[in-house]
Amino acid sequence: EIVMTQSPATLSVSPGERATLSCRASQSISTNLAWYQQKPGQAPRLLIYNASTRATGIPARFSGSGSRTEFTLTISSLQSEDFAVYYCQQYNIWPPYTFGQGTKLEIK
Amino acid sequence: EVQLVESGGGLVQPGRSLRLSCAASGFTFDDNAMHWVRQAPGKGLEWVSGISWNSDIIGYADSVKGRFTISRDNAKNSLSLQMNSLRAEDTALYYCVKGKQWLGNWFDLWGQGTLVTVSS
């Protein structure tokens, strides 16, 4: 099973600033990585797939990068609606598909 | 409107069974793999099971293998999860999730979930 590790667990950032979230895979997953956003009481929403492709309707301030084992989600200028929990997920080798434990992005 | 609507959750005693259903609408159901993903209260996401568009390929997490069975009815645009021998650790919000055409891809649409509570 591929283990996905996200860091940090909690990130405190001020609105308008940049946020950088990290995700590491226990072995190479090429670019078979997705990022999801989950707000309280809501289902997750797809943000990024194939490590760097924004999903339909996702604002350009969200960007993804990385390959093999190291990945990054960057939010260039945080808006109030961006404060949420973010999960990475690998789909390179399954079953099982595996998720990171999540990074909570909170207002500083 | 493109949506997934889950049903069938509830309170069930350990060792008993429950069947979850998911109604899909607004997209061509039999063009897509489908999955169940769960989230225990206050915890992260755990993939449970997935099924290819034509039911030829099915996968399970080790934690549910032998107890849960996924199935789909393309004529009715529906996905199901039969859960047997339920345990306290199966308590979670269960999401119906749409994949892409082939398994081995990302998840691009999530339902709102149905809550399963396993307790005596």
Side-chain angles (χ1 to χ4, degrees):
Chain A
E1 173 177 327
I2 296 177
V3 177
M4 307 300 293
T5 303
Q6 291 185 241
S7 61
T10 303
L11 182 62
S12 299
V13 183
S14 300
E17 294 189 339
R18 173 190 297 258
T20 302
L21 289 67
S22 296
C23 176
R24 174 176 292 179
S26 60
Q27 65 187 78
S28 177
I29 58 170
S30 185
T31 55
N32 294 315
L33 182 106
W35 289 95
Y36 302 88
Q37 176 194 65
Q38 187 177 34
K39 297 179 180 179
Q42 296 186 16
R45 176 177 71 147
L46 175 68
L47 296 176
I48 300 282
Y49 60 92
N50 289 346
S52 61
T53 304
R54 277 190 303 278
T56 302
I58 302 304
R61 64 180 181 273
F62 290 90
S63 63
S65 63
S67 64
R68 295 180 59 81
T69 62
E70 299 286 341
F71 301 88
T72 300
L73 174 69
T74 301
I75 310 171
S76 59
S77 178
L78 279 164
Q79 307 297 304
S80 58
E81 61 265 31
D82 299 335
F83 293 96
V85 178
Y86 292 84
Y87 295 94
C88 63
Q89 177 221 0
Q90 70 82 22
Y91 46 88
N92 188 61
I93 295 178
W94 62 275
Y97 299 83
T98 49
F99 293 88
Q101 80 279 18
T103 290
K104 182 180 181 180
L105 181 57
E106 64 177 25
I107 300 175
K108 186 174 182 180
Chain B
E1 180 184 5
V2 179
Q3 64 177 355
L4 300 166
V5 179
E6 303 92 338
S7 60
L11 175 63
V12 61
Q13 294 178 328
R16 304 298 292 268
S17 299
L18 204 61
R19 187 177 183 87
L20 305 184
S21 297
C22 171
S25 59
F27 64 96
T28 306
F29 184 70
D30 57 9
D31 271 356
N32 299 97
M34 295 295 297
H35 304 266
W36 290 97
V37 175
R38 68 185 180 184
Q39 187 169 35
K43 301 299 184 182
L45 302 169
E46 180 189 16
W47 175 81
V48 173
S49 182
I51 185 169
S52 63
W53 67 274
N54 61 357
S55 305
D56 274 3
I57 302 173
I58 289 175
Y60 297 97
D62 285 345
S63 58
V64 307
K65 197 174 295 182
R67 300 188 298 122
F68 289 12
T69 302
I70 192 172
S71 62
R72 65 188 295 163
D73 184 339
N74 287 344
K76 296 182 178 180
N77 289 350
S78 69
L79 178 73
S80 297
L81 185 68
Q82 177 66 40
M83 304 186 296
N84 299 332
S85 303
L86 282 161
R87 306 167 180 167
E89 54 265 34
D90 295 319
T91 294
L93 186 63
Y94 284 73
Y95 292 105
C96 172
V97 182
K98 172 181 168 291
K100 304 301 289 182
Q101 182 179 16
W102 307 108
L103 287 165
N105 280 294
W106 56 95
F107 304 159
D108 63 359
L109 179 67
W110 298 62
Q112 287 303 303
T114 187
L115 182 62
V116 173
T117 303
V118 184
S119 174
S120 55

